[in-house]
Amino acid sequence: MRVFAVASLTPVVLIALAALFGGWFAVAALTYMTLLAYALDAIIARISPALDEDETADDADLLSALLALCHFGLLGLVVYSLGGGMQHSLVATACTFLATGLFFGQVSNANAHELIHRSNWKLRTLGKWVYITLLFGHHSSAHPKVHHRWVATPDDPNTAEEGESFYDFAPRAWVGSFVAGYEMEKQDLARSHRREMNPYYIYVAGAILTMGIALWIGGIGGFLAYLLLSLHAQMQLLLSDYVQHYGLLRDKRADGDYVPVDVGHSWNAPHWFSSHMMLNAPRHSDHHAHPMRPYPALTLPDAKQAPMLPYSLPMMATIALIPPLWDRVMGRALRKWRAQSAPLEG
């Protein structure tokens, strides 16, 4: 658990120092989220074992709650700084912006994702508000109610088809998940006959409130920086979905239903550092098999049972931004997995 804490909280400190003082702190924050993460993933070949669920659940929830609170504080500080509250050089400002966007997209997203799967309503609410402050509140509904049910099928907006570029996938997934999540919430409320408000009203009102606070804290400059940071973080989230399910589809049974989700329907990554920084988000197969399982207890499936990414999840997300390179790298990995899994399916 100490490694999870150090890997995920260190960028909080670096980005806060970057927002306050700029200079080399801004360069260090961006270096941590990019070059250092890549280097440590390449150098450290160790694969950490899954931790005991009963022994680590409380500590995992504590770290998640702390990261969520840090997210809110960091968001306000960075908006104030980028809005002109702190006078930094153009290079320091750019580094702070990029580092913050990567942190929100890779760490805050991974953490909020964990929180919305917790049974404790307080933790779920924390996760929901992390997404709301990134103008992506609908993910709190669409992810558990649509993605987890229909993953690896054409009915899931967040499953990328083979040959589909990220630039085609992103708008389709954003709009599709927003609409599908709303419909699921509407249907659930109708079935239960509860006199409750559709949570989408909270998502929209919360987004408007957060934008108003950003305008108050950072002025027009801070408000524009906030919108761009939210867009940057949302792209990181969509990149994760794009990479982790690309080209993997469930077969249909004779009765027309899809076969159950198994470990072969998610891409995984074994890399030591980024796995700890992203709270084991790259161990995606086990998460879909056990959505409520705390992140320290997630297992990494054998490469013979589940597809493995050629590089770390952040690296593959970067490659996805260059479609010709993505087609070459991921196309080869997908063909290899299909050839390997065909005997198992047969």
Side-chain angles (χ1 to χ4, degrees):
M1 281 304 304
R2 288 197 205 112
V3 181
F4 284 111
V6 171
S8 60
L9 288 172
T10 296
V12 173
V13 177
L14 292 175
I15 293 170
L17 291 172
L20 290 170
F21 305 111
W24 287 104
F25 288 118
V27 175
L30 182 57
T31 300
Y32 184 95
M33 295 300 302
T34 54
L35 296 178
L36 182 64
Y38 176 77
L40 291 179
D41 276 340
I43 293 170
I44 302 175
R46 180 174 180 266
I47 297 177
S48 298
L51 302 180
D52 183 86
E53 182 172 344
D54 294 331
E55 292 181 1
T56 59
D58 290 343
D59 289 338
D61 288 346
L62 181 62
L63 176 58
S64 283
L66 178 59
L67 279 168
L69 295 176
C70 286
H71 165 88
F72 301 131
L74 203 59
L75 179 58
L77 177 60
V78 170
V79 166
Y80 175 75
S81 178
L82 296 179
M86 302 292 180
Q87 298 297 320
H88 301 316
S89 69
L90 180 61
V91 172
T93 299
C95 287
T96 301
F97 172 84
L98 291 172
T100 305
L102 289 170
F103 175 80
F104 287 165
Q106 295 180 15
V107 182
S108 285
N109 164 48
N111 184 52
H113 168 261
E114 280 295 315
L115 288 168
I116 63 173
H117 280 290
R118 299 280 72 82
S119 58
N120 184 300
W121 70 269
K122 295 179 181 178
L123 294 176
R124 287 201 310 277
T125 300
L126 267 180
K128 176 178 70 176
W129 275 95
V130 169
Y131 281 129
I132 288 174
T133 59
L134 295 176
L135 308 181
F136 214 66
H138 70 273
H139 195 69
S140 303
S141 293
H143 178 79
K145 295 192 174 188
V146 179
H147 178 64
H148 269 268
R149 179 179 181 183
W150 299 111
V151 65
T153 75
D155 296 321
D156 174 34
N158 290 76
T159 294
E161 301 175 1
E162 181 182 4
E164 182 180 25
S165 76
F166 172 70
Y167 301 102
D168 290 329
F169 166 82
R172 177 180 69 78
W174 205 109
V175 174
S177 62
F178 186 95
V179 173
Y182 176 80
E183 291 299 328
M184 288 299 294
E185 291 287 7
K186 184 178 177 181
Q187 291 172 21
D188 287 350
L189 288 172
R191 277 193 296 265
S192 65
H193 302 290
R194 297 194 308 267
R195 292 186 176 179
E196 294 181 14
M197 182 172 57
N198 191 309
Y200 268 63
Y201 291 104
I202 298 175
Y203 304 153
V204 174
I208 294 172
L209 174 63
T210 309
M211 287 190 287
I213 293 174
L215 183 62
W216 174 64
I217 291 176
I220 294 296
F223 175 71
L224 293 176
Y226 167 64
L227 294 182
L228 291 173
L229 278 173
S230 296
L231 178 62
H232 191 193
Q234 290 175 23
M235 290 303 100
Q236 295 290 310
L237 187 154
L238 291 170
L239 278 165
S240 292
D241 281 343
Y242 178 76
V243 171
Q244 290 179 306
H245 297 288
Y246 179 82
L248 302 176
L249 293 173
R250 286 189 270 162
D251 293 328
K252 272 193 174 182
R253 300 184 303 207
D255 60 5
D257 287 337
Y258 292 101
V259 299
V261 178
D262 64 27
V263 294
H265 296 125
S266 300
W267 291 93
N268 302 269
H271 304 83
W272 183 84
F273 181 76
S274 55
S275 290
H276 283 94
M277 184 178 72
M278 300 176 71
L279 308 182
N280 268 344
R283 299 188 175 191
H284 210 55
S285 287
D286 195 30
H287 166 69
H288 271 276
H290 307 94
M292 303 294 286
R293 178 171 286 173
Y295 60 87
L298 292 175
T299 61
L300 184 69
D302 188 275
K304 296 179 181 179
Q305 299 176 317
M308 294 291 165
L309 293 171
Y311 303 102
S312 68
L313 179 54
M315 186 64 182
M316 291 302 295
T318 303
I319 292 174
L321 296 174
I322 310 171
L325 180 60
W326 171 262
D327 290 341
R328 186 161 63 250
V329 173
M330 199 59 167
R332 183 167 54 242
L334 185 58
R335 289 191 298 272
K336 180 181 176 181
W337 167 247
R338 285 176 176 168
Q340 175 184 319
S341 60
L344 298 178
E345 295 174 358

